[in-house]
Amino acid sequence: MCIMTEPAITQDLISSHGINADEYQRILDIIGREPSFTELGIFSAMWNEHCSYKSSKKWLRSLPTTGPQVICGPGENAGIVDIGDGQALVFKMESHNHPSYIEPYQGAATGVGGILRDVFTMGARPIAAMNSLSFGSPDHRKTRQLVHGVVSGVGGYGNCFGVPTVGGEVRFDTAYDGNCLVNAFAAGLADTDKIFYSAASGVGMPVVYLGAKTGRDGVGGATMASAEFDDTIEDKRPTVQVGDPFTEKRLMEATLELMATGAVISIQDMGAAGLTCSAVEMGDKGNLGVRLDLGKVPTREHAMTAYEMMLSESQERMLMVLRPELEAQAKAVFDKWDLDFAIVGETIAEDRFLIMHNGELKADLPLKALSGNAPEYDRPWIETPAVTPLSDVPGIDPIDGLNALISSPNYASKAWVYEQYDTMVMGDSARTPGLGSGIVRIHGTDKAVAFTSDVTPRYVKANPYEGGKQAVAEAYRNLCAVGALPLATTDNLNFGNPEKPEIMGQFVGALRGIGEAVAALDMPIVSGNVSLYNETDGVGILPTPTIGAVGLLTHTDQIIGKEVREGHVALVLGTTEGHLGQSALLLEVFGRRDGDAPHVDLALEKAHGTFIRENRELIKACTDLSDGGLALAAFELAEEAGVGVILDSGDTQTLFGEDQARYLIACNFDQAEALMVNAQNAGLHLESVGKFGGDQISFGGVKAPLAEMSATYRGAFEKTFA
């Protein structure tokens, strides 16, 4: 028999596990001795940035996370909000950035798989998915491969699993050349009295391993995701997990069936740091210890070590604490679905994490120290300096300006992407990707839920506070524009190296803005993820705090459509001052990144959103004004409906300014008159800016055929990447 000898604990080995000198000393102080190799791996897995949030915890605590609609806030696998009638929406967004850059298909696929498990682990059946993707410059040597790999991975996993992708965003910027972002969102439906949590309870209860077998894929994945990239990136390929959506589908059905038996005390999916993290989190939340016997863990590779089994991130696995009297019923469910069911340990009264393998004690650690007592840093930070005010922007031919936007992969139609996703599976999609929020009907009811994902990284870079506010405000507007009442948010906070005070300053500023906005707009943060160290060779990404948001429609009749017709009046709610700082026009036409982000007036955002929802019966179509201003919003509405649009103004600032708290409304003449009266009574600014009709795009008398512009808009992305 081959006896594996564990490596000696050297300084190089400690450093390769992402543990600094102070942290190693802390480990020595906690356990009173040198750790074994397996113990070092366990500390590395639990104390890395990805799992412990050690650089961000202090600031995350400042976020508003409660409200009458909130059933469960941050700290569980996913957040939960009440949607009435004894039903709850379970949702979360999470990053898989580092794995997706190393191995695009599997990195993106397992990102989707992980977020789906987070949802059904809590007893919810997934009903919708979204993704927010950020890539480098379209002409960068690696971008094409990443776009193809990531989009295929997202579609490949989600389509096979059978959940509709109803929204998302795709952006390009040279700041992501060395580090793409893949943020995956999933939402599921559960009965409020059938929600499952991860806190273990009861001493001597069986700890059960469920799902697929454990292999060597993904070992060290969480630690890898907590480090910058350099020229050794190819060496990190083995740290990327491999997914199997068909197994995951069986796992979901088996898990939901198991939950119905009453056998589950607590349950946790195995995501980052695999068996280690899931066991520790269940024990920590239940104030219990855990003993594991790795000889009982189902494996698919020969002679796996304790270290490998504890740190493997093989996919499609769960860990649960079982009611022992129902073991036979529980096992029968997993046998039926041809999945592993193995009792691999038990809960214990002592604060210990004990790992046995082949009769040998491989780890004996205080469990609390791994989770609740992980390091917490108050990183030094500096305020992002105020930017220089915007210098003059030359006026531009309005059609040329629009052409520049719609021929850029940033603002062209993303049909090439979302047509690779199944958007209609389950048969309840009421609004699929393409324009504004996605909408899914709640099966068997009159209700529907709307979903959106938003951030403008340029704004956050220029002014983290206003940029953070804007990300939330845009999500709020996107939900209101389809008639939904915004309920809550999930955040995916993607930043560079937090050890750099200027990067930490971006993080702090953005969180202040996000916190203020979610409080003002009644959209508490109920779940989320922090992804730091998104850097390559010392160059960080644009700060990208993605906001995923959900809204409720109590009846599908409340949905505001996008059906623009010949003769509809075009109205803008909100004042246009023509803010061009950090605008899409400035970047795409002039190659400039100067000026400040637009100011966000949260009271006005709320007032305007409320006005849209309260007057939905008078509105035929609606969209918010954001990137590209009025020009792009009017074009997108018109193009979607196959109708021309005539805007009165040809002024560059009026057309392309990105002032916030604005909506474009299309409706009949008599409805427009009624809206004007209602806006006046509410003290809000509503003005007519043109009309829809014909077959031309006409801005201030400058015209171009709709068909020609539409061909550019629909073909630019595919032309770049197909």
Side-chain angles (χ1 to χ4, degrees), residues 31-43:
I31 63 176
R33 56 176 171 80
E34 184 179 84
S36 69
F37 179 52
T38 302
E39 289 174 333
L40 184 71
I42 288 171
F43 271 110

Side-chain angles (χ1 to χ4, degrees), residues 324-632:
E325 67 276 14
L326 294 172
E327 181 190 332
Q329 293 96 311
K331 186 175 184 311
V333 171
F334 273 73
D335 288 349
K336 171 187 153 184
W337 288 99
D338 195 23
L339 292 163
D340 278 295
F341 177 102
I343 294 176
V344 296
E346 62 177 351
T347 58
I348 55 178
E350 300 80 29
D351 175 29
R352 309 302 300 167
F353 191 38
L354 301 172
I355 310 297
M356 305 296 297
H357 190 218
N358 298 332
E360 192 181 334
L361 183 65
K362 289 293 187 179
D364 179 359
L365 298 170
L367 188 141
K368 281 278 182 203
L370 293 167
S371 180
N373 300 335
E376 185 172 329
Y377 294 121
D378 186 0
R379 301 271 190 207
W381 60 278
I382 53 175
E383 197 91 43
T384 302
V387 295
T388 311
L390 183 68
S391 55
D392 283 347
V393 178
I396 185 170
D397 177 287
I399 296 296
D400 288 351
L402 179 61
N403 246 322
L405 293 182
I406 61 176
S407 56
S408 159
N410 274 315
Y411 303 107
S413 164
K414 305 301 188 300
W416 183 85
V417 174
Y418 61 73
E419 283 173 359
Q420 297 183 52
Y421 306 149
D422 192 333
T423 59
M424 294 302 291
V425 63
M426 302 175 79
D428 283 317
S429 303
R431 179 77 69 87
T432 53
L435 187 68
S437 301
I439 303 176
V440 172
R441 292 181 292 270
I442 303 296
H443 200 76
T445 76
D446 292 326
K447 295 182 297 196
V449 190
F451 303 97
T452 185
S453 158
D454 299 285
V455 64
T456 310
R458 295 186 311 279
Y459 293 173
V460 188
K461 176 79 183 295
N463 187 330
Y465 169 68
E466 288 294 344
K469 280 168 48 183
Q470 193 278 338
V472 177
E474 187 172 341
Y476 176 83
R477 289 199 300 272
N478 277 332
L479 295 173
C480 293
V482 297
L485 173 69
L487 282 184
T489 47
T490 178
D491 59 354
N492 204 148
L493 306 170
N494 310 272
F495 289 81
N497 183 346
E499 295 166 47
K500 296 177 178 175
E502 63 275 17
I503 301 292
M504 202 63 212
Q506 292 175 349
F507 184 86
V508 172
L511 256 69
R512 283 179 171 166
I514 290 168
E516 196 174 309
V518 297
L521 301 173
D522 297 325
M523 298 167 71
I525 301 257
V526 297
S527 58
N529 170 235
V530 178
S531 175
L532 304 176
Y533 296 95
N534 290 290
E535 300 204 352
T536 299
D537 296 328
V539 179
I541 59 161
L542 287 173
T544 311
T546 310
I547 301 294
V550 302
L552 178 66
L553 297 122
T554 53
H555 199 289
T556 50
D557 291 350
Q558 296 174 338
I559 297 174
I560 298 174
K562 50 183 180 178
E563 293 73 37
V564 176
R565 298 279 184 267
E566 183 84 27
H568 274 172
V569 180
L571 305 169
V572 169
L573 176 63
T575 307
T576 301
E577 291 175 0
H579 183 96
L580 289 175
Q582 300 299 332
S583 65
L585 183 86
L586 200 64
L587 185 62
E588 298 290 351
V589 173
F590 300 103
R592 289 170 53 181
R593 297 171 180 265
D594 49 328
D596 201 357
H599 171 69
V600 178
D601 181 331
L602 293 168
L604 204 56
E605 291 282 5
K606 191 160 190 185
H608 286 178
T610 303
F611 180 85
I612 294 290
R613 293 195 311 276
E614 288 179 348
N615 289 276
R616 57 167 67 88
E617 289 178 5
L618 297 170
I619 299 172
K620 294 295 186 189
C622 183
T623 182
D624 86 308
L625 272 58
S626 47
D627 271 17
L630 173 60
L632 188 59

